Amino acid sequence: MSQPTKSIARNKISHPSRIIPHKHVTCLPMTPESNQIEVRNRQRKWPLNTAVIQAIAAWVSASLFKDLETDISIQFLSPDRMASINQEYLGHEGPTDVITFDLCDDPALCMTGEILICPEVAASQSEEFGTTWQEETVRYVIHGLLHLKGFDDLEPEKRRIMKQHENRWVKKAKTGFDLSEAGTVSGS
């Protein structure tokens, strides 16, 4: 398996089938200025409001990762890029909804990770589940954060528990944020 690029994970990847170890990251003691969530839209078809997505991710992270140094990158990718990463790191063909890389070697001290999301898959799944693509995209952000917290969805019982937490967080997000503001419909 080839080495990950600089912007793609260095420690472990999770979702949906297994965790792959890579290079470890040493965590430093938490300071308020060391808590970061970066959101980058690296695809063009689905215009995203990265500030809204960052605010939602920060709000969820503040609860999930209390007293931990956080450095989380959330990147939105095209289906082709997501398919490439899915094949390279998980050995699966085609794009997937979300891939999470856990980059911290001591989760008692910090949370460092990368969440990759494909808005095109979110749009497709939103039609199937009767939601908006913006809500489905926010769901994937929450799903990735739950993976970083240690939730797993490989076994049915663990998947059920993770889904309960995910649904609870999406419901809370809907009461605290206008999820439609997470993105606008593309003209293409």
Side-chain angles (χ1 to χ4, degrees), residues 9-185:
R10 296 170 295 251
N11 185 0
K12 347 179 226 191
I13 179 174
S14 75
H15 190 278
S17 68
R18 65 178 188 261
I19 297 176
I20 303 170
H22 289 290
K23 180 181 168 194
H24 289 279
V25 175
T26 303
C27 298
L28 302 172
M30 185 184 105
T31 59
E33 62 276 1
S34 67
N35 294 313
Q36 297 180 34
I37 296 179
E38 174 191 45
V39 178
R40 301 205 52 191
N41 188 6
R42 297 182 178 275
Q43 54 81 51
R44 295 177 193 246
K45 184 172 182 181
W46 301 93
L48 296 162
N49 185 333
T50 57
V52 169
I53 293 168
Q54 183 176 26
I56 293 168
W59 172 72
V60 174
S61 294
S63 179
L64 291 179
F65 309 117
K66 292 178 195 169
D67 303 322
L68 294 178
E69 171 189 357
T70 58
D71 186 2
I72 299 170
S73 172
I74 301 169
Q75 297 188 44
F76 295 92
L77 306 176
S78 69
D80 288 343
R81 184 67 180 125
M82 189 63 122
S84 174
I85 293 167
N86 196 22
Q87 179 66 48
E88 182 175 352
Y89 292 97
L90 293 174
H92 300 160
E93 284 190 35
T96 189
D97 49 6
V98 58
I99 300 175
T100 302
F101 291 90
D102 179 357
L103 305 176
C104 191
D105 60 352
D106 190 351
L109 294 177
C110 71
M111 179 36 54
T112 304
E114 187 163 355
I115 301 168
L116 308 177
I117 296 171
C118 184
E120 185 84 14
V121 173
S124 174
Q125 293 294 312
S126 70
E127 291 176 18
E128 182 178 335
F129 295 119
T131 65
T132 65
W133 72 269
Q134 296 95 328
E135 180 180 329
E136 198 68 14
T137 299
V138 169
R139 176 176 294 280
Y140 296 164
V141 169
I142 291 168
H143 186 90
L145 292 169
L146 288 170
H147 271 305
L148 291 177
K149 179 65 176 171
F151 286 89
D152 193 2
D153 57 2
L154 297 178
E155 299 170 14
E157 181 60 18
K158 290 181 179 182
R159 184 177 317 117
R160 185 186 65 74
I161 292 168
M162 183 175 184
K163 192 66 168 176
Q164 286 177 340
H165 284 275
E166 181 181 304
N167 288 339
R168 192 173 309 128
W169 276 108
V170 170
K171 186 175 179 179
K172 287 181 185 180
K174 287 166 90 171
T175 62
F177 297 90
D178 180 353
L179 300 190
S180 69
E181 293 180 0
T184 58
V185 177

